[in-house]
Amino acid sequence: MTGSCFAERLEHYLPLTDREKVALSRLEDIERHYRRGTVIRRENDRAHDIFVLRAGWMYSYVLLDDGSRQILRLHFPGDLVGTSGGAFVAATDSLVALTDVKLCPFEKGALSVLFEEHPRLAALLFVITQAERVSLTDRLASLGRTSARARVAALLLDTIDRLRLMNRDIGNSFHLPLTQEEIGDATGLTAVHVNRMMRVLVEEGLITRSNSTIIINDEERLARIANYINRYAELDTSWLPAPR
Amino acid sequence: MTGSCFAERLEHYLPLTDREKVALSRLEDIERHYRRGTVIRRENDRAHDIFVLRAGWMYSYVLLDDGSRQILRLHFPGDLVGTSGGAFVAATDSLVALTDVKLCPFEKGALSVLFEEHPRLAALLFVITQAERVSLTDRLASLGRTSARARVAALLLDTIDRLRLMNRDIGNSFHLPLTQEEIGDATGLTAVHVNRMMRVLVEEGLITRSNSTIIINDEERLARIANYINRYAELDTSWLPAPR
DNA sequence: CGACCGTTTGAGTGCGGTCAAAAGAAGTGG
DNA sequence: CCACTTCTTTTGACCGCACTCAAACGGTCG
């Protein structure tokens, strides 16, 4: 164990050298704890830092002029969070802790060292960023061209597949600490309609709910109605430079 | 002039060294021409190559099971196209030429050299990828939380701002070679409703149309109703490593 | 135990979709 | 260069999915 959560995630795609692991562990020198509901950073705040999410769930969102909210992405342990700070002086989105979280902030300048001394890690970072971009385009198609029922289904599937990345033995159920309001803000629906769609999925036997635990009964059929593709299974790392 | 279209784009953010320019020009060694309407690459094709778009417009899209199409992004001269190929063996989207185009394909392995020998360029590539990711999240909020009228307005504004990146003296008008069907597929609307919304924008005096030329009469008000932010104006390159 | 937040359900509305048809523009072949 | 076809735009009438508003119910945390 290197103690680096991010290294652990990256090793799913590629075995890392010791030097690389040490470099990555630098990003997690500082660990901070935040309570459920804490706003870690607001849109337009200065974006000095990027974060490694070590434990707990977060999400990023934007508020529109009319007061409505769009949740841009859920974040799970092992994720790099607030990466848009790498491109802009001011944060483009807000970050909230959905559960209690352990978060490791690092200055974006720390990436500079990575790019200079660890070209393979930098390239892997690029690959992962591309995968996230593709995941966003999947959601774009979901919001633009699929029904409310399909959007809710897609959110559930995306969530379980991403949880599986860091936790192999999840099976077909997981705890979902999102309110229906939040599911609505992620899928572009109202809380009321999310409720109805969840009930429909239950009635169709596709999922089961008890409290905030979701059981996915028929993953294949759910994926078909949601037009969902699991993008996280396999990345192409064949072209990366040699490790240092 | 280096002859590299991509280098020219990057110099808007950062003056490049001669060595860097030479490295970038490698990516444009091969230039191919395609006619308007040509499908350059289909979803699930092998994604060996990434492209520099030298001239003309393109777009990337996905088809859903029910036959509907979501246009994921428009591409303009100076853009890197098909970058998702960097992360996946098979293409995640299809690429089509909207006008006649000049396109420079390069193997994704060529990026490896960039990461090893030009850390600053690699980091700049990372920055630009992040900016594109943010642009996608803006569209996500647009599709998820804004009206049809606002979505069409946002598409027009995003287009003109991106054209301005490579062509300073565009003013407030541009030629839009998209059909209303295509605008619909980009904004998650039907062609019929796009037509209606365009007419509304004209009636409100916000834009003027003649043939396929768009004049933006009141950019500020249009941006307000569209909830639009120009993300391309300024990127934070302060943290990048030293050039080589 | 009460206050609060989230879930659930019902009734009615409206934005954007669907279907259809006609007019206009652009490409194609003789 | 014209006749024909096909694609695109435009407009009208109607429909339905998802939204709004409202109220009741249930869980949870001071």
Side-chain angles (χ1 to χ4, degrees), chain B residues 159-160 162-165 167-174:
Chain B
T159 301
I160 197 167
R162 289 175 64 199
L163 289 174
R164 281 169 178 155
L165 281 181
N167 189 352
R168 284 297 189 191
D169 40 63
I170 272 190
N172 65 340
S173 76
F174 62 101

Side-chain angles (χ1 to χ4, degrees), chain B residues 89-126:
Chain B
V89 174
T92 56
D93 48 28
S94 302
L95 295 174
V96 99
L98 197 48
T99 65
D100 292 356
V101 297
K102 294 179 189 173
L103 207 51
C104 302
F106 62 88
E107 285 187 19
K108 54 181 141 182
L111 288 182
S112 178
V113 182
L114 233 55
F115 275 87
E116 285 207 283
E117 294 176 16
H118 297 278
R120 189 175 74 149
L121 286 182
L124 185 53
L125 197 61
F126 176 77

Side-chain angles (χ1 to χ4, degrees), chain A residues 43 62-66 68-72 83-89 92-93 108-109 111-112 115-116 119 122-123 125-127 129-134 136-137 139-141 143-146 184-185 188-190 224 227 229 231 234-236 239-242 244, chain B residues 43 62-66 68-72 83-89 92-93 108-109 111-112 115-116 119 122-123 125-127 129-134 136-137 139-141 143-146 184-185 188-190 224 227 229 231 234-236 239-242 244:
Chain A
E43 205 178 330
V62 289
L63 289 176
L64 306 205
D65 290 346
D66 65 355
S68 63
R69 175 176 66 168
Q70 176 67 48
I71 291 183
L72 302 173
T83 49
S84 66
F88 299 98
V89 174
T92 57
D93 49 27
K108 54 182 143 184
L111 287 182
S112 178
F115 275 88
E116 284 206 285
L125 197 60
F126 175 76
V127 166
T129 304
Q130 286 303 332
E132 288 210 6
R133 206 182 56 73
V134 170
L136 271 172
T137 63
R139 289 190 58 210
L140 203 70
L143 296 210
R145 287 289 182 230
T146 78
D185 286 343
L189 301 168
T190 57
R224 210 159 43 242
N227 230 284
I229 299 170
R231 302 285 189 188
E234 206 163 355
L235 299 182
D236 179 11
W239 61 270
L240 302 201
R244 283 193 192 161
Chain B
E43 207 177 329
V62 291
L63 289 177
L64 306 207
D65 290 345
D66 65 354
S68 63
R69 175 176 66 168
Q70 176 67 49
I71 291 183
L72 301 173
T83 49
S84 66
F88 298 98
V89 174
T92 56
D93 48 28
K108 54 181 141 182
L111 288 182
S112 178
F115 275 87
E116 285 207 283
L125 197 61
F126 176 77
V127 166
T129 304
Q130 286 302 335
E132 288 210 7
R133 205 182 56 74
V134 170
L136 271 171
T137 62
R139 289 190 58 211
L140 202 71
L143 296 210
R145 287 289 183 230
T146 78
D185 286 344
L189 301 168
T190 58
R224 210 159 40 240
N227 230 283
I229 300 171
R231 302 285 188 188
E234 205 161 356
L235 299 184
D236 179 12
W239 61 270
L240 302 200
R244 283 194 191 158

Side-chain angles (χ1 to χ4, degrees), chain A:
Chain A
M1 269 304 107
T2 62
S4 165
C5 193
F6 190 48
E8 194 186 327
R9 156 68 76 82
L10 295 188
E11 290 218 280
H12 287 150
Y13 301 115
L14 214 57
L16 302 177
T17 66
D18 287 343
R19 253 191 98 244
E20 286 175 328
K21 287 183 204 171
V22 170
L24 288 173
S25 70
R26 289 277 167 77
L27 304 181
E28 296 172 45
D29 278 349
I30 306 166
E31 180 181 281
R32 297 219 176 93
H33 293 217
Y34 296 95
R35 303 296 304 276
R36 181 164 79 84
T38 311
V39 179
I40 278 87
R41 186 184 77 184
R42 281 207 172 68
E43 205 178 330
N44 295 322
D45 284 356
R46 291 199 123 261
H48 288 296
D49 288 348
I50 296 173
F51 307 86
V52 174
L53 178 53
R54 267 215 172 141
W57 291 25
M58 301 176 63
Y59 62 82
S60 51
Y61 69 92
V62 289
L63 289 176
L64 306 205
D65 290 346
D66 65 355
S68 63
R69 175 176 66 168
Q70 176 67 48
I71 291 183
L72 302 173
R73 190 163 172 83
L74 298 178
H75 303 287
F76 303 107
D79 282 354
L80 220 50
V81 177
T83 49
S84 66
F88 299 98
V89 174
T92 57
D93 49 27
S94 304
L95 297 174
V96 177
L98 196 48
T99 65
D100 291 357
V101 297
K102 295 179 188 171
L103 206 52
C104 301
F106 61 88
E107 284 187 19
K108 54 182 143 184
L111 287 182
S112 178
V113 182
L114 233 54
F115 275 88
E116 284 206 285
E117 293 177 18
H118 297 279
R120 190 175 74 150
L121 285 183
L124 185 53
L125 197 60
F126 175 76
V127 166
I128 286 178
T129 304
Q130 286 303 332
E132 288 210 6
R133 206 182 56 73
V134 170
S135 176
L136 271 172
T137 63
D138 285 343
R139 289 190 58 210
L140 203 70
S142 178
L143 296 210
R145 287 289 182 230
T146 78
S147 68
R149 169 165 154 275
R151 293 188 215 174
V152 173
L155 178 120
L156 297 178
L157 289 167
D158 187 64
T159 302
I160 196 166
D161 276 337
R162 290 175 62 198
L163 290 174
R164 281 169 177 154
L165 281 181
M166 290 296 273
N167 188 351
R168 285 297 189 190
D169 40 62
I170 271 190
N172 65 342
S173 76
F174 62 101
H175 175 76
L176 184 71
L178 288 167
T179 66
Q180 295 180 357
E181 183 88 41
E182 287 162 336
I183 296 174
D185 286 343
T187 53
L189 301 168
T190 57
V192 173
H193 206 58
V194 167
N195 183 280
R196 286 194 254 259
M197 293 304 102
M198 298 274 275
R199 198 165 59 75
V200 168
L201 292 175
V202 170
E203 279 168 5
E204 292 177 311
L206 291 165
I207 66 171
T208 307
R209 279 182 305 165
S210 58
N211 300 322
S212 49
T213 296
I214 301 286
I215 303 171
I216 296 185
N217 298 316
D218 189 340
E219 195 160 342
E220 200 175 324
R221 198 150 66 87
L222 200 63
R224 210 159 43 242
I225 69 135
N227 230 284
Y228 174 79
I229 299 170
N230 179 6
R231 302 285 189 188
Y232 309 99
E234 206 163 355
L235 299 182
D236 179 11
T237 53
S238 66
W239 61 270
L240 302 201
R244 283 193 192 161

